[in-house]
Amino acid sequence: QYTRGTVTAFAPFDARADAEALRKAMKGLGTDEETVLTVLTTRNNAQRQEIASAFKTLFGRDLVDDLKSELTGKFETLMVSLMRPAYLFDAHALKHAIKGAGTNEKVLTEILASRTPAEVQNIKQVYQQEYEADLEDKITGETSGHFQRLLVVLLQANRDPDAGVDEALVEQDAQVLFRAGELKWGTDEEKFITILGTRSVSHLRRVFDKYMTISGFQIEETIDRETSGDLEKLLLAVVKCIRSVPAYLAETLYYSMKGAGTDDDTLIRVMVSRSEVDLLDIRREFRKNFAKSLYQMIQKDTSGDYRKALLLLCGGDDD
């Protein structure tokens, strides 16, 4: 269904030849990282799964285990992430976000705000199959308050379908949000959660315009003033994704590299998970909003084989 990725099916494709090339690259002393990164970033996920299967058939070895033992650091993390079956990618990221001490709210926010209802349903099913656990139970066990409630609403994946927009309901929702925030002493968070978590995308885009007309504020400004902490971040992420998922993910990538130090986990997660989905759109939004290209920022912010692989995934410069 997606055609805006930077990584597409490689042709002519030969899983056995690729498996042999990877084995040769990792066999004996030293590793030929160039071959590893070139093969894995230029095949799509379905093809990588075929390579892994051929690798096991030919050599009786697990490709992912070999990658883990031969590679190190961020480069290893990136290559192993590329080998994760696409349908499992988000479920795995969520599992890690709620595992062990402390919860990674950033990952919960990014994934649940930006995925479509159909994708969320799929993530829940895969999570149940792979980990024999209910994702919603796991998330509610690790979160609390209004942040938890909005996550649960998003996990229901029951957003109204995009049918015709009812202008009377648009007006009503905009007024309700205005009264729940700017016009109220304190904030009625529940109204924000219900409206932002359940209305259709086209309806909400109209609500945001109407809200601006009524209040003189962008909805983001109100959320910023009226809420705080994890709830504020999640509400803002939902609003940004309603406006444009690629723009939201471009911003996520930008902030993963801006300033001192790089948030490599976020950089890897977004680059890998969107490489076959909408990375071309994310690149365009990045260039438009940050006055530099994603390619240039990756080039400046990373190094070595890790950089080479990310740049191949990026698929080109926009300057």
Side-chain angles (χ1 to χ4, degrees), residues 174-203:
Q175 293 285 359
V176 167
L177 289 172
F178 188 42
R179 287 198 296 273
E182 299 287 351
L183 285 186
K184 191 178 190 312
W185 192 81
T187 311
D188 182 350
E189 290 90 353
E190 204 151 276
K191 296 277 194 293
F192 281 85
I193 290 170
T194 303
I195 291 173
L196 294 177
T198 62
R199 301 287 198 254
S200 77
V201 171
S202 47
H203 172 83

Side-chain angles (χ1 to χ4, degrees), residues 143-154:
T143 54
S144 61
H146 290 108
F147 174 63
Q148 179 201 76
R149 292 194 195 122
L150 180 49
L151 288 172
V152 170
V153 167
L154 295 172

